[in-house]
Amino acid sequence: MTGHPAARPIPTDLERLAGLAIVPRRYYGRWVAAAIILLLFAWVVKAFAEGQIAWKVVGQFLTAPAILNGLVNTVIMTACAMTLGIVLGVLFAIMYMSPNPVLRGSALFYIWFFRGTPLLLQLLLWFNLALVFPRIGIPGLIEFRTIDLITPFVATLLGLGMNQGAYTAEVVRSGILSVDLGQSEAAKSIGMTRLTTLRRIILPQAMRVIIPPVGNEFISMVKLTSIASVIQYSEILRNAQTIYYANARVIELLIVAAIWYLAVVTLLQIGQFFLERYFSRGRGERRSRQKANRGIAAGGPP
Amino acid sequence: MNAQPAPIVVAHQVSKRFGPLLALNGVSLSIAPGTVQCIIGPSGSGKSTFLRCLNQIEKIDAGAILIDGELIGYRRVGDTLRELSDAEIARQRLATGMVFQRFNLFHHMTALENIIEGPVTVLRRSRREAVDEAMALLARVGLTDKRDAYPIEMSGGQQQRVAIARALAMRPRIMLFDEPTSALDPELVGEVLAVMRDLARSGMTMIVVTHELGFAREVAHDVVFMDRGEIIEQGPPAQVLLSPQQARTREFISAVLT
Ligand SMILES: Nc1ncnc2c1ncn2[C@@H]1O[C@H](COP(=O)(O)OP(=O)(O)O)[C@@H](O)[C@H]1O
Ligand SMILES: [Mg+2]
């Protein structure tokens, strides 16, 4: 009458049912996909093995002085440009969020200009700065000829760092915005000044949001340094090119450069993993607790 | 015989606007040292705003607030009032400790780190001394075993007790509580009220915004009822809570009790 369909009968051997062995589900799709990918991979490996690649040459040039020298320059430039970028990013993010209209306006201008023009153009501008400012310094006190000051290293550093700063400013700003307003009210209530609140309470929590995109940009930066070869900064790709112009081993030297880029990026990714873990302290607990619960649901200890 | 002690908090004709909304409309209130002042009133009546003005999270638009005889937010120079700097306001805030409805513990710090943060970073006490004192405070709120727990690993009641310990670690003259039990599951309210009762007994000056009328009845020396940014009624708890004179107070109290 009530419209409930008749209930199915309950098996009589419930006791036995609960004790039966479990056969895991089979994932046939995964096997097919794996087979296709392995085939493709084998084909690429075969092409490289049979192609005109002298692997001995790759091994030989992997540790050649010019390559290692380029590697060091790439790493130094990445570190310096990222440091400058992060310092400027934090600075301009704070200026952007300041109640002072002059500070906010200049931050807005900075982000607008450096995000709005191509990086290559900015590099060339810095490199040719002497055309606009022949001399730099405080007149009568210390002065330099711009040509002497703006070496390829300095021009690259300014170009990459200032450009990076404009992007990092937006990342830092979104990180700061992600921190609950109650945190800074609590900080004020124990007598912290604005700057202390930022340093001790807001930024450490914003880091959780800031690190993944900055890690991403760090990795981009490693590869972006290669653009500096246009203004004669001798990073690894430029040095590899110089060598293959002489010996015509193009693919071999490109592979050498690729191996080193991958090595540096791998190290950075490992570093990012540990940084992320550090700055998510006090946040990750809920997830691990869920995992523990799932373990219990799935059978728990025998 | 004994002269009345000078009030430790004086609010005189305090007004605060949010755009067109008058959140506080000429609020005047004096609080004697060592007493517990409860503030009750419907949601949106300006209770939180009043506490936030006392510790200068909000700036007042008119009137004056004195804490321990000191004008808050301004320095008097001749016939003018000069706004204080960020650092001077931070120093004035040390007189008041604040406990928030949503606890607002620092998420990236353990219970112990939350408590020693102010003493070490702001008061520049030695870490050893700050830790010793923090452990004593944790014992006082009954959470010695939670010293290394992050906020997310604690219940609401435990977080609020740590928040009280964090405020006390700054040795404030006055403690401000903004609905400290409103975000708690009912079975956790008691443990927080117990800590507050204990604190009141120790002679701390407390201003407590609360809907716990039983607590107000038992602990408060004085109760005010606020509505629409104004103080409607003020008096000893027995009078305001049991035989209120104003219709709006009666309405509110019967609404809370049912
Ligand atoms: N930052 C703010 N901006 C705008 N309006 C606010 C702000 N803070 C509080 N108000 C308003 O002021 C009034 C009083 O709020 P509040 O003091 O929080 O009330 P209560 O704590 O008594 O519930 C409310 O109408 C509220 O919406
Ligand atoms: Mg409120």
Side-chain angles (χ1 to χ4, degrees):
Chain A
M1 280 306 103
T2 50
H4 285 300
R8 288 202 194 118
I10 304 287
T12 49
D13 55 346
L14 261 187
E15 204 51 43
R16 228 173 81 72
L17 179 69
L20 293 179
I22 293 169
V23 180
R25 187 165 130 199
R26 302 251 151 74
Y27 297 92
Y28 297 106
R30 288 185 195 174
W31 288 104
V32 175
I36 293 173
I37 286 166
L38 272 178
L39 266 172
L40 281 173
F41 187 68
W43 177 69
V44 171
V45 168
K46 187 161 167 285
F48 268 86
E50 290 177 353
Q52 300 293 316
I53 301 169
W55 289 99
K56 253 186 68 189
V57 177
V58 171
Q60 209 178 322
F61 277 97
L62 200 58
T63 53
I67 293 293
L68 290 184
N69 186 38
L71 174 68
V72 169
N73 283 345
T74 294
V75 169
I76 289 176
M77 180 54 70
T78 304
C80 291
M82 261 336 263
T83 306
L84 180 61
I86 290 170
V87 169
L88 289 176
V90 172
L91 190 72
F92 280 101
I94 293 168
M95 283 168 63
Y96 196 142
M97 303 177 85
S98 140
N100 179 336
V102 178
L103 292 185
R104 202 170 54 236
S106 14
L108 208 65
F109 178 81
Y110 169 82
I111 294 170
W112 171 75
F113 181 81
F114 285 95
R115 279 204 314 192
T117 52
L119 177 59
L120 185 57
L121 184 150
Q122 290 171 32
L123 272 186
L124 293 170
L125 268 182
W126 286 115
F127 193 56
N128 295 301
L129 196 66
L131 301 179
V132 190
F133 303 100
R135 305 182 141 271
I136 297 179
I138 304 160
L141 210 60
I142 27 169
E143 266 189 286
F144 299 96
R145 289 195 324 156
T146 305
I147 287 242
D148 300 332
L149 217 56
I150 304 285
T151 60
F153 178 86
V154 172
T156 310
L157 174 62
L158 288 173
L160 293 176
M162 302 276 289
N163 187 263
Q164 187 56 49
Y167 286 93
T168 309
E170 286 295 89
V171 172
V172 171
R173 194 166 69 92
S174 65
I176 290 175
L177 287 176
S178 78
V179 180
D180 173 28
L181 208 64
Q183 294 287 303
S184 62
E185 287 180 358
K188 275 184 193 169
S189 80
I190 57 169
M192 284 191 181
T193 58
R194 269 217 301 265
L195 214 63
T196 312
T197 303
L198 199 67
R199 186 172 58 83
R200 295 286 308 167
I201 306 300
I202 307 297
L203 282 180
Q205 294 188 57
M207 287 306 261
R208 205 172 49 91
V209 172
I210 292 172
I211 285 177
V214 167
N216 198 26
E217 287 176 0
F218 220 116
I219 285 166
S220 298
M221 181 62 84
V222 175
K223 296 164 295 166
L224 215 53
T225 51
S226 62
I227 201 180
S229 58
V230 298
I231 56 171
Q232 286 104 53
Y233 182 69
S234 47
E235 43 68 54
I236 189 163
L237 187 58
R238 182 180 148 85
N239 287 8
Q241 281 178 306
T242 312
I243 297 174
Y244 73 60
Y245 288 145
N247 69 3
R249 296 288 192 183
V250 178
I251 293 294
E252 286 82 356
L253 278 145
L254 289 179
I255 290 176
V256 165
I259 289 173
W260 281 120
Y261 279 120
L262 284 172
V264 173
V265 166
T266 306
L267 284 180
L268 282 177
Q269 268 182 11
I270 294 171
Q272 182 181 346
F273 171 80
F274 284 107
L275 267 183
E276 266 179 43
R277 208 172 59 172
Y278 175 74
F279 280 109
S280 64
R281 68 193 189 283
R283 292 278 188 178
E285 220 39 52
R286 189 161 279 167
R287 211 172 303 148
S288 64
R289 212 181 275 166
Q290 270 171 9
K291 235 185 254 163
N293 288 346
R294 218 178 298 138
I296 290 164
Chain B
M1 219 176 56
N2 272 354
Q4 282 270 73
I8 191 164
V9 176
V10 176
H12 180 74
Q13 290 294 314
V14 172
S15 292
K16 171 71 189 173
R17 247 177 209 297
F18 291 112
L21 176 87
L22 201 52
L24 293 177
N25 186 9
V27 171
S28 295
L29 188 62
S30 292
I31 294 161
T35 63
V36 176
Q37 173 75 61
C38 278
I39 302 178
I40 61 172
S43 169
S45 58
K47 309 180 297 295
S48 298
T49 305
F50 183 64
L51 288 194
R52 292 156 66 84
C53 288
L54 289 183
N55 79 348
Q56 305 190 66
I57 290 176
E58 304 285 359
K59 232 185 213 165
I60 63 177
D61 295 314
I65 297 173
L66 291 111
I67 290 184
D68 210 2
E70 187 182 353
L71 183 65
I72 284 303
Y74 300 93
R75 186 188 12 243
R76 189 170 179 169
V77 181
D79 280 344
T80 59
L81 293 180
R82 302 264 167 88
E83 274 186 34
L84 295 182
S85 70
D86 188 36
E88 288 166 313
I89 289 173
R91 180 188 59 74
Q92 286 189 332
R93 285 201 185 102
L94 295 177
T96 50
M98 179 96 170
V99 175
F100 300 88
Q101 184 174 347
R102 304 229 45 107
F103 331 135
N104 293 352
L105 287 183
F106 304 132
H107 300 304
H108 60 309
M109 297 180 182
T110 62
L112 183 72
E113 288 168 344
N114 263 280
I115 298 171
I116 65 171
E117 179 61 22
V120 172
T121 312
V122 178
L123 301 179
R124 308 235 164 261
R125 296 220 191 102
S126 83
R127 205 186 147 84
R128 272 268 304 284
E129 192 189 328
V131 168
D132 287 347
E133 196 166 318
M135 288 312 295
L137 283 167
L138 276 175
R140 186 167 169 190
V141 299
L143 290 172
T144 311
D145 57 324
K146 290 290 177 189
R147 59 170 281 168
D148 294 323
Y150 284 100
I152 201 171
E153 299 165 313
M154 291 185 272
S155 74
Q158 291 168 341
Q159 288 188 57
Q160 195 60 299
R161 286 186 279 155
V162 172
I164 293 173
R166 174 178 69 181
L168 290 176
M170 303 302 288
R171 298 180 189 157
R173 305 286 318 268
I174 306 148
M175 285 284 285
L176 311 175
F177 293 84
D178 190 2
E179 299 195 35
T181 58
S182 294
L184 298 178
D185 292 334
E187 79 271 21
L188 302 179
V189 168
E191 62 190 52
V192 172
L193 291 183
V195 167
M196 292 169 62
R197 225 175 259 126
D198 180 53
L199 192 59
R201 227 174 280 131
S202 76
M204 173 65 78
T205 309
M206 293 163 62
I207 306 180
V208 184
V209 172
T210 187
H211 293 304
E212 297 291 334
L213 300 189
F215 174 83
R217 174 86 222 286
E218 179 196 339
V219 179
H221 297 89
D222 189 88
V223 176
V224 299
F225 170 72
M226 279 182 73
D227 193 15
R228 288 176 222 162
E230 293 177 31
I231 291 181
I232 305 296
E233 185 161 357
Q234 176 174 15
Q239 181 199 314
V240 176
L241 300 173
L242 298 180
S243 51
Q245 309 295 300
Q246 302 291 324
R248 272 195 266 173
T249 318
R250 268 198 297 277
E251 246 169 69
F252 172 75
I253 287 172
S254 65
V256 170
L257 289 180
T258 50

